[in-house]
Structures are given as structure tokens and as C-alpha cells.
Amino acid sequence: MNPLSSLDTPAQRLAALRGQLALSGVQACLIPTADPHLSEYLPEHWMARAWLSGFDGSAGSLLVTADFAGLWTDSRYWVQAEAQLQGSGIALMRAGAHDVPDMLGWASEHLKPGARVAVDGRVLDRAAALRWQAGLEAAGVALVLDQDPVDAIWAERPGLPTAPVFEHLPPHACRTRADNLAAVRAAMLAHGAQHHLLSSLDDICWLLNLRGSDVDYNPVFLAHALLDAQQLRLYVAPGKVPDALATRLAADGVVLRDYAGLAADLAGLPAGTGLLVDPARVTAGTLAHAPQVRLIEAINPSQLCKSVKNAAEADNIRAAMAQDGAALCEFFAWFEAAQAAGERITEIDVDTHLSAARARRPGFVSLSFATIAGFNANGAMPHYRATDTHHAVVQGDGLLLIDSGGQYLGGTTDITRVVPVGTPSAAQRADYTAVLQAHIALARAQFPEDTPSSVLDALARTPLWRRGLDYGHGTGHGVGYFLNVHEGPQSISVRAQGRAHQDMKAGMLTSNEPGLYRDGQWGIRIENLVLAVPALQTAFGTFLAFETVTLCPIDTRCVVRELLSADELDWLNGYHEQVRVGLLPLVDGAARDWLLARTEPL
């Protein structure tokens, strides 16, 4: 019997990893949450950190030495990680806490000169690799990029996904493949590069009007791409691209190559040739195959192109938002009727019924992320997810937070609503109203074009700051077009200050999601998606405003009306009129009755 096949617990896996480190002559191992494409959601094959630690949150990195193991993750996951790491021998390192060093700082301080730190360079982005190399070198420690100690002990590691690639077609695809390629080629040449390497899956899918299902929630497939002035080499597993599609790709100069063939082609590039790469979206292990090239580092041009939706895409997004809103009306009508009838409803049931309502809408493909349904204390964890073994019954008095979204052929949705269960307390209603005011403050914003997106964060927080309240996550993220639900480069977050390419442009689709969380009690977040649109032209330039494109009532039963200003009340009533007009043609029966009741003006 293979002893590695019996590694059933994180503690056993940790012990096996330490044995492997000793055999390999390295003193520490870094296991990030990443794959060779630096994806947000990973195929099972690349979930090494989750397999080793037992912590299955979407963010965090693990550092293991002979006598220490620590998982660094941010405040969204502290409660979850603390529970899942029990008995593993792995310490929770609360990243961002004032008394917790960052992972590199800890390694530099605790590892002795001459030590070696192994990391699978295939999953470590170039920017992080350079940072780690410099930091460790200053402490006399070496970073080893060509070892994967976890793979040596993971006897039953899942294989890579094999689902077929499909084409995103008109009328939902609103740009041609030829136009996309021409735009990116022009940017490549402007940078003085002869080749452009792409490993980020959303960039490749956007560029070629292709989609897939290799990872959960994001409609992408595993591939690399190497672009030059004449052709694009697409590295994808054999058999994933149907023959008819391969013929259409060839007509646009796209040549299919084996997924594993990238290394040889990179090694074969002429010495000194200019290779455009995005250091945040390509790994050090991938670039290790091309030491002879002249690296030109800049953001992938496709990131900038796809962040600005054109008029046809905006129209499709509005239509997708309406279908999504209709699904939510159907769900909430069921939910309130089931509550009134005294049915037993769990957080799992919320996910099941809401997902089913979305699946019945035209153009629906999949969820855009795992539904978060958190009642009372569970809602206080921004990235909580109910499981079969850990979930709450929605009963008694309190607040239910539901954060969910869908992938439609014409757009990607992301929405959060909080609804009362039983009788919410005065404190809950005051918190809810404060978050609503924060949401309205950003929704009503008007600002010069090219304003850094991070600047807008303070607009949403001000109503909360006035009360001495705050929240730990960003206020808004970019959203893709039937692509990743989290998309850059814009980010309405204080953490985005100083980042390049985050200026707001007309056509950018962004979330508006301020929140408030009281640990162990309740959580509140109100989220809509907003489209940046031209507002007015003055002697001071072009000004943009936000068009709220999400269509679903914001529950007014928790609102303290007296706390709202006249302008805030006008915005809320106006939004509900927009929701009612937009959704009435798409709903009937109980869903229609629910919509009419929940969009009554305050």
C-alpha cells in the first residue's frame, strides 16, 4: 500500500510535506493559492493549499518549515480559517492585523542564512517572485522556483479539466475576434514588443471570443497565448477545441498548439526579442523558459480594452440584469410565502431555490460565484458559505444577507440584498439605514472622467464614518462581460490607492457594495452594479455618473425613514420605480405581486 494514499488529515499531510522538505534539502515551503494562470477560482488540480491545510477559502497562502506552519489570510476569512485549521497544526496568521508580520517578513526574520525556500514557480506571479527573491536575499535566504514538494506527496491529485471550448457568438459577442486582435497587436507594437505572452484566462477568452468551463463560476478554459505580428499561438489541451471552431480560429490567424508546448516555444524565441508581459498576470515559472528575451512589463492591453464596455455590450448587460432581477423576484416571492407558512428554511435552501430561479431564465449559463446566504451571525462573515455540515436555520428574528450572481450570455451579475426575518431590532434597522445611505452616496456620485477609482471609496464610507462605523473590504470591483465577476483594473477601494490604470472611464461596470458587520451578531451589505456613463461636459472637462443597472427592490422594511434626507428618499423611490418598470414585463403571478409590494414608494 502506498503510504501517501492514506494522508487523510491536514496533520498527516503536513507531516508528509515536512518529510519531503527534508529529502529535498529545503528548509521551508511556500504554497500560494494560485495556478499557472493566476486565476481567482482554481481547478481542483491546483488547490494545493486547500488540500494541504483543510482551509478552503478563496484567498490565503501557507508557509511550512520543520517546526512551524502558518496560514496567512485576510479578515474576510479569519473566522472560517480558525474553525477549519483546528487540529491541523497550522497557525492562523491574521494578515493585516497590526501585530502580525507579513509572510515575507516572517520568513526573513525566522529563517537562518543559507536556508532555501521552495515554491512551485509555475503558480507564483513574476511580481511576487521578484519581491520574495529580493527580501529573502537580504536575509541570506534563497528562493527555489523549480520544486513542487506538495506534488510529491499528493498521490491522488486530480487531473486537469477536459471540458470543450465554445465560441461566444453574436448577438451577445459584440466585438469581432479580428478587431480584438488588431487592438492588442497595436498596443504590443506601441510598447516596442515583437511578441506578447498571455496566461490570464479572462484576457485570452476576451481576445478570441471564446469561453469554457474549466473552473467554477468563471466561463474560461486553461490556455496560454503567444501573439506576434502575424499569428496567435493558442496553447490548449488536445481535443478541447472542436474542429469546426478550430477552422474559424485559423481564419483569424490563430494556430492551436499543445498546452504543454509553451515552454519549448518560449525557449525558441530569438535572443533579445521584445516580449510584452504583465508581471501580475504571468508566473515566474512560465517566464523561466525564456531567459534570453527582453522583457517589456506592462498591463495586458486586453485588461484595459475589456474593462470599457461598448454600447452594444451595455445594452446586453441591462437585459441580463433584468432577467436576473426577475429570477430574484420569483425567489423572494417563494421565500416570503414559505416564511409566512411556517416552513423550515435553511441557508442551504436559500441557495438551492435562488439558483433554480436563475437557471430558468433565458441566457443563463452558471452562477458567477458561490452564493453567500448568511443569517444573523453568519452574515457578519463577508465570505461565509453555508455547507451541509455548517449552516443555520432561518428562523426567529434577525437579518438574512444574500450575496449571489449569475453568468448570462449577455453579461455577469452580482447582487447583495438583506431582508428582515421576523422583527429586526432597532439597532439592526439603524445599521441597515446607514449602509443604505452609504450605497446611495456612491450611486449618486458625479466625478470627472479619469478620476482614480480609489478616490470614490470615501464617498460611500462617509455616512458610516460620521457614526464611527466602517467595513473591512473594498466598496467596488470591476465586473466582466460574461467573464470574471471580479475584473480590473478599476477598484473602488482604499487599498487601490497608487495603482496604475485604475482611472474611471465611461463604460466601466463596477459594483457598489458598502457594508457593516458586527461579529457574532449580524452583517449588512447592499450591492448593485453600476455603469459609468457620461453626465455632462463643462469648461472643467467631461463628468461621469453611475447608472445603476441591477434591478431588484432594496427591502424598505428595515429602513428608518426619518434618517433619510429628501435627496436620499428621492433616489430610493426613483430606483424602485426603475425596478418596477424594468421587471414587470418579465414576471407574473406571485413574483409580480411581490415586485409591486416591494417597490411601493416610501
Side-chain angles (χ1 to χ4, degrees):
M1 176 180 176
N2 182 355
L4 297 181
S5 65
S6 61
L7 300 181
D8 296 328
T9 68
Q12 291 170 333
R13 294 166 185 171
L14 188 61
L17 178 62
R18 286 182 167 131
Q20 182 62 34
L21 295 182
L23 288 173
S24 304
V26 296
Q27 286 67 49
C29 181
L30 167 63
I31 304 112
T33 303
D35 66 5
H37 310 281
L38 303 172
S39 307
E40 178 180 11
Y41 300 110
L42 308 180
E44 288 186 27
H45 180 85
W46 296 108
M47 294 182 181
R49 186 268 297 158
W51 176 81
L52 189 65
S53 68
F55 166 65
D56 60 9
S58 65
S61 294
L62 185 63
L63 184 67
V64 178
T65 71
D67 55 9
F68 170 80
L71 175 84
W72 273 257
T73 191
D74 63 61
S75 60
R76 297 172 297 167
Y77 297 100
W78 289 350
V79 174
Q80 176 185 347
E82 187 171 27
Q84 292 183 327
L85 293 178
Q86 290 292 324
S88 67
I90 300 171
L92 171 59
M93 306 296 286
R94 292 174 169 81
H98 71 278
D99 57 343
V100 175
D102 64 27
M103 182 177 280
L104 176 56
W106 188 97
S108 300
E109 179 181 351
H110 289 85
L111 295 175
K112 296 179 181 179
R116 302 167 76 229
V117 179
V119 60
D120 183 358
R122 295 174 298 173
V123 303
L124 187 66
D125 68 85
R126 172 172 167 77
L130 292 174
R131 186 172 64 253
W132 271 81
Q133 285 172 331
L136 292 179
E137 184 178 341
V141 177
L143 185 67
V144 181
L145 292 168
D146 59 356
Q147 292 191 25
D148 181 10
V150 177
D151 189 63
I153 66 167
W154 196 352
E156 299 176 357
R157 189 169 194 168
L160 293 176
T162 59
V165 174
F166 63 95
E167 193 167 13
H168 195 212
L169 295 168
H172 301 108
C174 304
R175 315 183 199 209
T176 69
R177 186 159 40 239
D179 286 346
N180 290 348
L181 286 165
V184 172
R185 274 200 179 98
M188 176 186 80
L189 295 173
H191 281 291
Q194 291 75 52
H195 294 83
H196 176 31
L197 173 64
L198 287 160
S199 290
S200 43
L201 305 182
D202 57 323
D203 287 309
I204 295 170
C205 286
W206 176 87
L207 183 63
L208 298 177
N209 280 352
L210 299 178
R211 298 295 189 268
S213 56
D214 282 356
V215 301
D216 291 337
Y217 311 119
N218 291 342
V220 297
F221 60 96
L222 300 189
H224 298 276
L226 187 59
L227 179 71
D228 61 33
Q230 286 77 42
Q231 66 177 12
L232 179 141
R233 284 174 271 186
L234 179 64
Y235 301 86
V236 61
K240 286 180 68 69
V241 179
D243 291 343
L245 176 54
T247 299
R248 293 194 294 275
L249 289 170
D252 285 321
V254 178
V255 178
L256 298 184
R257 301 293 292 260
D258 190 287
Y259 181 73
L262 175 64
D265 283 1
L266 286 176
L269 292 177
T273 192
L275 179 65
L276 175 63
V277 299
D278 188 333
R281 294 177 178 85
V282 67
T283 70
T286 298
L287 291 177
H289 298 293
Q292 79 284 8
V293 305
R294 175 174 55 91
L295 289 180
I296 300 171
E297 299 186 37
I299 189 172
N300 284 338
S302 44
Q303 284 279 310
L304 302 174
C305 292
K306 67 186 175 65
S307 69
V308 176
K309 280 59 177 175
N310 63 30
E313 289 168 338
D315 284 342
N316 285 341
I317 287 168
R318 294 182 184 101
M321 296 292 171
Q323 293 295 341
D324 203 58
L328 285 155
C329 289
E330 182 183 328
F331 163 76
F332 279 119
W334 164 82
F335 176 76
E336 291 188 15
Q339 271 193 302
E343 292 185 25
R344 184 180 185 274
I345 304 172
T346 70
E347 294 166 337
I348 297 287
D349 296 327
V350 169
D351 184 3
T352 300
H353 282 264
L354 179 51
S355 298
R358 279 197 168 98
R360 289 189 285 269
R361 305 312 301 184
F364 176 82
V365 176
S366 73
L367 300 184
S368 56
F369 57 95
T371 299
I372 299 168
F375 182 54
N376 281 346
N378 290 339
M381 295 180 276
H383 280 243
Y384 168 78
R385 185 180 182 187
T387 66
D388 290 337
T389 57
H390 181 84
H391 61 265
V393 177
V394 182
Q395 64 184 8
D397 296 326
L399 300 176
L400 173 65
L401 182 152
I402 307 172
D403 188 352
S404 66
Q407 293 284 6
Y408 296 80
L409 292 173
T412 302
T413 73
D414 183 0
I415 176 174
T416 308
R417 290 293 183 265
V418 173
V419 296
V421 176
T423 304
S425 69
Q428 289 170 332
R429 295 182 67 225
D431 281 355
Y432 182 95
T433 306
V435 173
L436 175 59
Q437 290 175 301
H439 180 94
I440 293 172
L442 184 58
R444 297 178 63 233
Q446 187 167 288
F447 48 90
E449 188 171 31
D450 295 328
T451 294
S453 51
S454 60
V455 170
L456 304 178
D457 187 82
L459 297 179
R461 292 182 193 269
T462 297
L464 295 168
W465 286 347
R466 280 198 298 261
R467 297 170 170 85
L469 306 171
D470 204 356
Y471 50 95
H473 56 74
T475 301
H477 56 82
V479 178
Y481 179 70
F482 184 37
L483 266 176
N484 294 3
V485 72
H486 298 129
E487 176 181 279
Q490 80 273 26
S491 175
I492 302 177
S493 171
V494 292
R495 298 183 183 88
Q497 287 182 344
R499 292 184 193 168
H501 310 295
Q502 53 135 344
D503 296 347
M504 292 301 301
K505 309 279 188 184
M508 284 183 164
L509 182 67
T510 312
S511 67
N512 172 5
E513 52 179 312
L516 179 58
Y517 311 94
R518 297 192 184 273
D519 288 347
Q521 299 180 70
W522 61 79
I524 299 164
R525 186 165 62 254
I526 299 173
E527 177 185 16
N528 285 334
L529 299 189
V530 294
L531 187 69
V533 296
L536 72 162
Q537 185 78 35
T538 75
F540 296 93
T542 300
F543 284 74
L544 304 179
F546 285 133
E547 174 194 346
T548 297
V549 292
T550 299
L551 297 178
C552 180
I554 295 171
D555 204 301
T556 58
R557 292 173 292 175
C558 291
V559 175
V560 182
R561 188 185 188 283
E562 295 75 24
L563 294 178
L564 296 183
S565 69
D567 286 344
E568 290 167 337
L569 190 60
D570 286 346
W571 182 91
L572 183 61
N573 289 335
Y575 173 66
H576 279 153
E577 181 179 1
Q578 174 193 349
V579 170
R580 186 168 58 253
V581 170
L583 297 186
L584 269 178
L586 301 176
V587 295
D588 54 23
R592 185 180 190 277
D593 295 341
W594 180 87
L595 173 65
L596 291 172
R598 291 286 163 255
T599 54
E600 282 290 319
L602 270 184

